[in-house]
Amino acid sequence: MADAEEPMAVDGGHRDSGCDWDGRWNHVKKFLERPGPFTHPDFEPSTESLQFLLETCKILVIGAGGLGCELLKNLALSGFRLIHVVDMDTIDVSNLNRQFLFRAKDVGRPKADVAADFINSRISGCKVVPHFKKIQDFDDSFYRQFHIIVCGLDSIVARRWINGMLISLLSYEDGVLDPSSIIPLIDGGTEGFKGNARVILPGMTACIDCTLELYPPQVINFPMCTIASMPRLPEHCIEYARILQWPKEKPFGGFLDGDNPDHIRWVFERSQERAAEFSITGVTYRLTQGVVKRIIPAVASTNAVIAGMKLEFLKPLCVPVLGIPLVNLLNQTSILLFFVDFLSFIFLLSRQMKSPAITTTLEGKNKTLYLQSVKSIEERTRPNLCKTLKELGLSDGQEIAVADVTTPQTVLFKLNFTA
């Protein structure tokens, strides 16, 4: 077995040689230098896009945690060489199970520094510049230098700040937005098995502040009546010990420190007693720590999926190459808010529903767009799956009704076409 510190082979078995070997970018050239069925109508194959990615394009990655590690890896292996990464955190032992750019020897060091060193040592020609700072420590001149910004943040406050910064960089002439002042923002996040990715074009599409309701609540609060009288979950028992028993007994002077093992142990033991009283199972030390510190378990595979979705950043950079970019939000557990074709609509609905029936009203008449449960109707409406929404005769502002056995009521979707 190779030494743990020895640079590993990358991209087809080649080791870092400090140069581009033959065939290194063949996988990227397949997208950039040949036509395809999903390319933009204005696409003209050329070698210029690859040279732009390799030599000119400058990317800023905000966050070097679970998502950030995946993003840096994806960017570097996709050919981007001028990358900056900003992160204000240091590495903790708990990060090592999923933040794969870090090792045990790195605990205590800045995430940005270690991530940059790792990528630079493994990917030849790539230059990642680290910044062990807060995003608020930089002025507008710093952010103006980037062609695109990719976020791996877990803070809504930080998201709103960078969103506001990019909006402040927009320039207008006679009330018309100057496209050259737009710096696309690729945002996304994960919580356990859930995740989302979105493309924001400041001044053109809905921004962070426009869609704050799309973000889940930062803290899940259980009703006090349930905690005190009718606990059903192990979390209820933990909250009872944290909210009611701790302030009453003040075992360690009154302040509950989630990072103090003695404090967590006390809450854990009281929670077990509460759980036994109501025949509730599942109270563990780890769960107790998670509830007290408001920890949402991170899943490495979710980070990988969302980071892959965030390769949408390629589209704003070279729209004619890869097609129309994602306009709003893609949620791993929900639906796409902007649909390119009807098949995408059906596919995403099928992840949430059993056998959705899709209908609408055209020219005053009810029309079935797709129905899976009745064989004859499914065969008749199957050709619709290959059509775009406009080809189906649907227009901006039109409503689509979706009925399914999994929902008590028909769900209405209102179409909003964006140029």
Side-chain angles (χ1 to χ4, degrees):
M1 181 178 291
D3 183 81
E5 298 302 318
E6 183 180 359
M8 66 183 292
V10 294
D11 210 72
H14 293 276
R15 291 193 179 277
D16 251 352
S17 60
C19 62
D20 290 342
W21 53 85
D22 290 341
R24 180 176 182 182
W25 304 115
N26 284 348
H27 59 298
V28 179
K29 290 180 179 179
K30 291 177 181 178
F31 289 101
L32 305 180
E33 299 181 6
R34 67 179 187 179
F38 301 107
T39 54
H40 192 280
D42 296 332
F43 170 59
E44 295 182 3
S46 72
T47 61
E48 295 179 0
S49 295
L50 178 58
Q51 293 307 308
F52 171 73
L53 300 187
L54 294 175
E55 301 173 4
T56 306
C57 185
K58 186 178 287 189
I59 303 266
L60 174 62
V61 175
I62 302 179
L67 267 179
C69 286
E70 293 280 358
L71 289 168
L72 288 168
K73 175 260 295 180
N74 289 350
L75 286 163
L77 292 178
S78 297
F80 294 91
R81 291 176 162 175
L82 304 177
I83 306 171
H84 287 237
V85 58
V86 176
D87 196 296
M88 61 179 286
D89 290 336
T90 56
I91 299 166
D92 184 78
V93 173
S94 63
N95 302 146
L96 303 181
N97 70 330
R98 63 194 181 282
Q99 298 176 24
F100 55 87
L101 300 183
F102 311 140
R103 302 292 181 266
K105 63 181 177 60
D106 300 319
V107 171
R109 294 185 59 198
K111 289 184 178 181
D113 292 349
V114 176
D117 290 345
F118 192 104
I119 294 293
N120 291 337
S121 67
R122 296 295 183 97
I123 313 297
S124 64
C126 189
K127 182 182 180 182
V128 180
V129 179
H131 302 277
F132 178 41
K133 294 182 178 181
K134 300 178 181 179
I135 56 174
Q136 295 87 346
D137 292 337
F138 301 97
D139 59 18
D140 56 357
S141 63
F142 173 78
Y143 292 104
R144 286 185 191 277
Q145 66 180 304
F146 299 104
H147 291 90
I148 198 164
I149 294 176
V150 189
C151 288
L153 294 167
D154 57 7
S155 166
I156 292 181
V157 173
R159 282 183 168 103
R160 296 184 70 180
W161 191 93
I162 190 64
N163 177 79
M165 169 58 74
L166 296 185
I167 289 177
S168 72
L169 299 181
L170 298 176
S171 62
Y172 294 81
E173 184 174 348
D174 296 328
V176 179
L177 176 63
D178 179 4
S180 65
S181 67
I182 298 175
I183 302 177
L185 174 67
I186 313 301
D187 182 45
T190 64
E191 287 188 354
F193 290 101
K194 300 178 181 180
N196 67 79
R198 63 188 305 190
V199 176
I200 296 173
L201 302 179
M204 294 182 62
T205 65
C207 68
I208 300 290
D209 279 351
C210 297
T211 53
L212 284 176
E213 71 278 2
L214 294 177
Y215 292 101
Q218 296 293 283
V219 177
I220 298 176
N221 294 310
F222 298 104
M224 183 58 68
C225 59
T226 300
I227 295 172
S229 306
M230 300 177 293
R232 299 183 303 276
L233 302 173
E235 290 86 350
H236 296 160
C237 302
I238 298 170
E239 288 287 73
Y240 180 85
R242 183 183 74 87
I243 296 175
L244 299 176
Q245 289 184 280
W246 182 279
K248 182 179 179 179
E249 300 185 27
K250 295 181 173 63
F252 295 93
F255 174 71
L256 175 55
D257 183 358
D259 294 316
N260 189 315
D262 293 333
H263 291 201
I264 297 298
R265 174 64 60 181
W266 188 93
V267 176
F268 168 54
E269 292 172 353
R270 300 295 84 74
S271 302
Q272 283 188 315
E273 295 169 1
R274 178 75 170 173
E277 182 181 351
F278 288 88
S279 301
I280 296 173
T281 60
V283 175
T284 64
Y285 181 90
R286 185 172 182 178
L287 178 63
T288 302
Q289 187 179 43
V291 171
V292 170
K293 298 180 65 176
R294 303 302 192 189
I295 296 173
I296 298 174
V299 179
S301 57
T302 306
N303 288 332
V305 169
I306 297 302
M309 289 180 180
K310 291 169 77 170
L311 287 177
E312 283 282 333
F313 63 75
L314 284 169
K315 294 180 180 178
L317 290 174
C318 40
V319 171
V321 177
L322 295 178
I324 301 171
L326 178 67
V327 171
N328 205 322
L329 175 72
L330 178 60
N331 193 313
Q332 186 183 341
T333 60
S334 184
I335 63 168
L336 190 62
L337 299 183
F338 177 82
F339 311 110
V340 175
D341 55 45
F342 192 56
L343 179 59
S344 300
F345 187 28
I346 296 297
F347 171 74
L348 290 161
L349 282 177
S350 67
R351 297 179 63 185
Q352 297 288 312
M353 299 180 174
K354 184 176 180 180
S355 181
I358 321 296
T359 61
T360 190
T361 300
L362 289 176
E363 298 179 352
K365 297 181 180 180
N366 187 58
K367 180 178 181 180
T368 299
L369 299 178
Y370 186 70
L371 179 64
Q372 186 178 5
S373 57
V374 180
K375 183 179 180 181
S376 60
I377 300 179
E378 194 281 331
E379 292 176 349
R380 177 170 56 84
T381 57
R382 190 183 305 164
N384 289 341
L385 298 178
C386 300
K387 299 178 181 179
T388 65
L389 298 184
K390 288 188 176 182
E391 288 173 343
L392 289 171
L394 304 179
S395 58
D396 186 43
Q398 188 152 6
E399 290 187 344
I400 294 179
V402 181
D404 189 70
V405 295
T406 61
T407 58
Q409 296 178 332
T410 299
V411 180
L412 292 179
F413 291 88
K414 190 171 183 178
L415 298 182
N416 183 10
F417 291 172
T418 303

